[in-house]
Amino acid sequence: MTDATADARRANFPAHYPAHVALWSRPEGERAGSPLIVLFHGYGSNEADLMGLAGYLPEEFTVVSLRAPQTLAPGAYQWFPLMAAQDFTMDSVEAATEYVLAWLDGVREQHTSVTLLGFSMGVAMATSLVRRRPDDFAAVVGLSGFAIDPAAAGEKDYEYFRDTELDGTVPMFWGRDQADPVITADKVEYTMGWVRSHVALTKVTYPGSGHGISGPELAHVKEFLELSVLKG
């Protein structure tokens, strides 16, 4: 496939998905000039799931939570199929990435910066976005999640992610429980290698939190955002 053909195919991805659905922490008239945090929910959830985090984040930020484009059941959505599913492909990751970027390009100009925060599969989404557009984001927060390994999906020479342009300057917070029962060891191993090579990593573990988000973790996320984005 030529580069032009691939680019044309990717440009058509958003047309195959529904209109974007988002929840905002502020009314439209109060958003201009603020830094933005975009929340990405986990598998089988929806845009309301993470909005409870807004009160734990620095008040300077406008917070928005986006709904994933693929419907599993009423009120349950996925960004792309689970990596263990037969219908998972990197095309599905690209589709979700382009879907989000099409929406972001329509709102980013009114904000001073854009930070990405994902939980579980939402971390795969957030990291995919910064891997596609390395210069577009102020920081990334990953909670109990992972970055996608294209080679595990059979893609050996994968060019959609621009990892070579991630020079270790984008701040990333990665919080997790080492005994997380959901994120498999192979995903953790790959993610560990990826973050160490491509971002400015702050990694903290939270024993006993399982596949969840703890109070101490939220306090650390707030501090990370204050230091890395607001004062960065």
Side-chain angles (χ1 to χ4, degrees):
M1 182 181 296
T2 66
D3 289 343
T5 301
D7 288 344
R9 177 171 55 81
R10 291 167 185 146
N12 287 328
F13 280 146
H16 301 301
Y17 288 108
H20 299 91
V21 176
L23 288 180
W24 293 84
S25 64
R26 294 177 178 172
E28 187 172 0
E30 299 177 9
R31 301 171 194 165
S34 63
L36 181 68
I37 295 181
V38 187
L39 308 182
F40 299 95
H41 63 77
Y43 175 82
S45 189
N46 59 58
E47 71 280 6
D49 183 50
L50 296 181
M51 281 304 289
L53 302 184
Y56 296 91
L57 304 176
E59 62 182 9
E60 291 89 341
F61 285 90
T62 293
V63 181
V64 61
S65 185
L66 193 63
R67 177 189 293 177
Q70 296 184 342
T71 302
L72 295 170
Y77 304 89
Q78 65 177 9
W79 298 101
F80 40 79
L82 294 172
M83 291 189 70
Q86 290 185 347
D87 56 344
F88 174 84
T89 64
M90 291 307 297
D91 279 354
S92 64
V93 177
E94 294 177 20
T97 302
E98 294 298 322
Y99 175 77
V100 173
L101 290 174
W103 175 82
L104 265 177
D105 287 344
V107 303
R108 68 166 57 248
E109 287 188 359
Q110 63 180 317
H111 298 282
T112 56
S113 66
V114 178
T115 294
L116 309 172
L117 187 157
F119 171 74
S120 195
M121 179 184 275
V123 182
M125 192 70 252
T127 51
S128 293
L129 288 162
V130 77
R131 297 170 81 175
R132 178 57 177 170
R133 289 193 184 173
D135 298 325
D136 278 17
F137 304 105
V140 180
V141 176
L143 308 178
S144 300
F146 62 98
I148 290 174
D149 178 6
E155 299 284 352
K156 294 183 179 179
D157 299 310
Y158 192 63
E159 298 181 351
Y160 181 77
F161 289 161
R162 294 155 55 189
D163 282 358
T164 57
E165 298 175 36
L166 281 167
D167 58 2
T169 58
V170 177
M172 179 171 172
F173 179 95
W174 185 26
R176 57 181 296 269
D177 182 352
Q178 290 181 311
D180 186 326
V182 173
I183 307 303
T184 56
D186 59 317
K187 292 183 178 64
V188 173
E189 181 179 4
Y190 174 80
T191 304
M192 185 66 71
W194 182 83
V195 294
R196 285 176 171 170
S197 301
H198 295 96
V199 296
L201 178 65
T202 299
K203 179 181 178 291
V204 186
T205 57
Y206 300 91
S209 63
H211 190 63
I213 303 171
S214 69
E217 185 173 22
L218 288 175
H220 290 153
V221 169
K222 181 179 180 180
E223 180 180 15
F224 168 82
L225 293 170
E226 290 171 342
L227 294 175
S228 299
V229 181
L230 298 182
K231 298 180 181 178

